[in-house]
Amino acid sequence: MGLSRIGGATLLLAALSGCYQARVPAIESGDAVPFGDIASCKVRDKHLRFDLTHPEPTAGGGTIYRLGNETLAFKKLSDTLYLAQLNSSGMYRYGYVMRNGSGLEVLALRDEIDADPNVRAIAPNILFKPAQHGWQEMVATRDDLAAFLRGAKLGMMRSVGECSIRKAVPLDTPLAKGLRLSTTREQAMKLPAAEACDLGDVCLPLSPTTIERVPAAERAGVRIQVAFEADRVKSVTLTAKGISPANSGIILDDVSLGLSRFGPYDTPILLSFNNRRVDMLAVRQLAAWNPQRAAEQMRSLDQFKDVSATVRDPAFRSAEILIVPAEAFATIQGFATAEAAMADLRQRQAPYHRIVLKQSGAGKIDATLELVP
């Protein structure tokens, strides 16, 4: 049973489904769940994340949750146990989640459960077909299927993982002066001095406070370009050419570095200063066979605590910092290098924050800040 990626989102086929599926839905009118908005899960040694921030009403008065091109529905079975149904192109896959303190236990029906005489006795009208690609199809009427899945006991299940849950970051989180996560392109075009720029994006000026503090000659080389999804900001890119090290922090601070829609940018995966690089994914692998060398590389992180101090260092030539939220980091731990992880983050439009700094002349630097919230 593997993971499926649709529209760049990792869907929890392993997490929120057992190895059982059917061509008819057992849940027609799903229940809203009180779990929270964002779940970070570890299922069968895989780190996964899913988003329940987009509930949609159904014609029957129920609730579904959209995950890319798929939909997820829950049915409450008890105060703590829920049946989960994932609709994947007309094939319905099933599993269970159970409240466990402040988190969730992910459950699946046991493998080859149809071999159990007790199960056959309570599911006489269900045909269990041979498994294909890790999934075993159940053939039954909707009523018989729903009765079996809703009546399943914990003794028929096995635990396959756990999830921690939390509330999503509010969409009114500020990203720049007048710009929030929820800002649309039409709203951004109404901001003071906003103008249309290439690729259908919107270019914004520096904030009034920064304009007062930074000389006009340096401001002239600064550009803040914003790309949009249909209902929110997709990315913010700040480029600055020929600025002084002293003003670099002031200019970069015009774009918020604090929060993405999935949480704070708190996990660095790549830091470099001149020719010295600390690739956190490579360091994790190094720690397995040379923990002393890995510890030495980790201690060099102190160099990057203050960006302004870094660029004022007489030895400075270039620097790069790549930071992701914890939820995004959980999805890239299998990559060997930060470069490979970065390519995956960009392909999936997962949140990240990246700063690249380069010396561009005597006492001058070029800076690029990429923010994908």
Side-chain angles (χ1 to χ4, degrees), residues 148-167:
F148 168 62
L149 292 172
R150 296 184 191 184
K153 306 301 182 184
L154 289 177
M156 299 163 57
M157 306 174 194
R158 69 193 190 284
S159 175
V160 294
E162 295 181 337
C163 300
S164 61
I165 53 180
R166 66 166 177 80
K167 289 292 184 182

Side-chain angles (χ1 to χ4, degrees), residues 218 221-222 239-252 307-313 316-319 355-368:
E218 293 189 38
V222 179
T239 55
K241 297 184 180 298
I243 61 176
S244 65
N247 288 325
S248 61
I250 299 172
I251 292 171
L252 291 175
V307 173
S308 295
T310 297
V311 297
R312 289 196 300 268
D313 188 323
F316 168 78
R317 295 294 178 271
S318 65
I355 297 177
V356 178
L357 306 166
K358 294 181 180 179
Q359 189 181 57
S360 61
K364 297 294 182 182
I365 64 170
D366 293 343
T368 302

